[in-house]
Amino acid sequence: MVGDVEAIGAHCKFAYCNQLDFLPFRCESCKDTFCLDHRTETAHKCPKEGAWAEARRKAQQGPSNTRLKPMTTLIESTCASQDCPTKINTALHPGVQCTKCNRLYCLKHRLNEDHNCANLTPLGARQSSIAIVQADKARTAFSRLKAWGREKQTTLSTVAKPKHSTVSQRLIAVNTLRKTAKGDAGIPAEKRIYLFVEAEAATTTSKLPSGEFFYNIEWSVGRVLDAAAKSLQVQNVNNRGGGEDKKLRVFHIEGGRLLEFSEKLGQAVASGNRIILLRGVGPAVPDLIEM
């Protein structure tokens, strides 16, 4: 019977105590068991006093060479899409990075087609790669322009050249154009130049395919292009930047070349001439029809 009782608990290991305790206490430093009176390290004069507390302190601190990873801080910025004022990297508007152009956008412009990704140079791209891409685009645009020039050359006699053979007949045609042409009424009559204007259907989309207008001879070709695009309702993104594939250019039928934006209109064309609005044909190339 006594053996059964002793099997339930344990004797206190403190010298001269040896009390049987049914709920003994275990010292985590010396790993022995003690009664209620000798359960503390001080009471049983523990030979390894403080060992358990030291081990716990080291466990909480961890290895001395362990470093916490720095937290990534997102800086508030504006969406990279042109004309979008949305502040991103905020609680309301998280930023989304495009994996192709490496720019940050708001949720509205996160898709490639929403921020014109195909025409953007990726951030961090090597200059050599950029130069190769630009050279390929230039060659493609030049090929398109040259092919279009040959096509116009075949129809030049019927489209570009006036049907009136004599000087008097050509003057009559210009006078008729003056009566039908539209333009800024504030332009003095002596400074007006009268032109036939067309939007080339293969590269542009316009609500009005052609028209007859007058402009100031002192205007630059760039200003005339803006006015003509507005009159024919052709989308004009020249002032927004971007590549040549989106820009409009002015082709002079009689001169057989693309006109520079900075040229004065009165020095490049004459009343009764025809100009064409083209898109994505590259920079101006002189004497296109002769190439």
Side-chain angles (χ1 to χ4, degrees), residues 199-201 203-207 232-235 279:
E200 202 267 323
T203 60
T204 61
T205 301
S206 62
K207 293 187 177 180
L232 297 181
Q233 300 183 41
V234 178
Q235 184 183 26
R279 190 187 306 279

Side-chain angles (χ1 to χ4, degrees), residues 144 148 197-210 225 228-229 232-238 244-250 276-281:
R144 288 175 56 193
W148 188 87
V197 182
E198 294 182 18
E200 202 267 323
T203 60
T204 61
T205 301
S206 62
K207 293 187 177 180
L208 300 175
S210 63
L225 185 150
L232 297 181
Q233 300 183 41
V234 178
Q235 184 183 26
N236 182 11
V237 295
N238 286 20
E244 284 290 341
D245 56 331
K246 299 296 182 182
K247 285 187 176 181
L248 286 173
R249 293 281 179 174
V250 178
I276 312 290
L277 301 187
L278 296 166
R279 190 187 306 279
V281 292

Side-chain angles (χ1 to χ4, degrees), residues 57-131:
R57 184 183 62 82
K58 290 182 177 179
Q60 290 178 341
Q61 289 181 347
S64 58
N65 59 351
T66 301
R67 296 181 180 178
L68 296 176
K69 294 182 179 180
M71 296 180 62
T72 302
T73 303
L74 295 178
I75 301 175
E76 181 180 322
S77 59
T78 305
C79 174
S81 180
Q82 193 171 11
D83 300 329
C84 179
T86 304
K87 295 293 183 181
I88 57 176
N89 293 334
T90 64
L92 293 177
H93 302 286
V96 180
Q97 183 173 17
C98 176
T99 57
K100 291 187 177 181
C101 66
N102 299 328
R103 292 170 170 83
L104 287 172
Y105 297 94
C106 64
L107 295 178
K108 182 180 179 181
H109 299 106
R110 68 188 187 281
L111 301 179
N112 295 348
E113 56 269 22
D114 292 332
H115 61 260
N116 197 24
C117 188
N119 296 315
L120 296 177
T121 301
L123 294 179
R126 294 183 179 180
Q127 292 299 321
S128 57
S129 300
I130 297 174

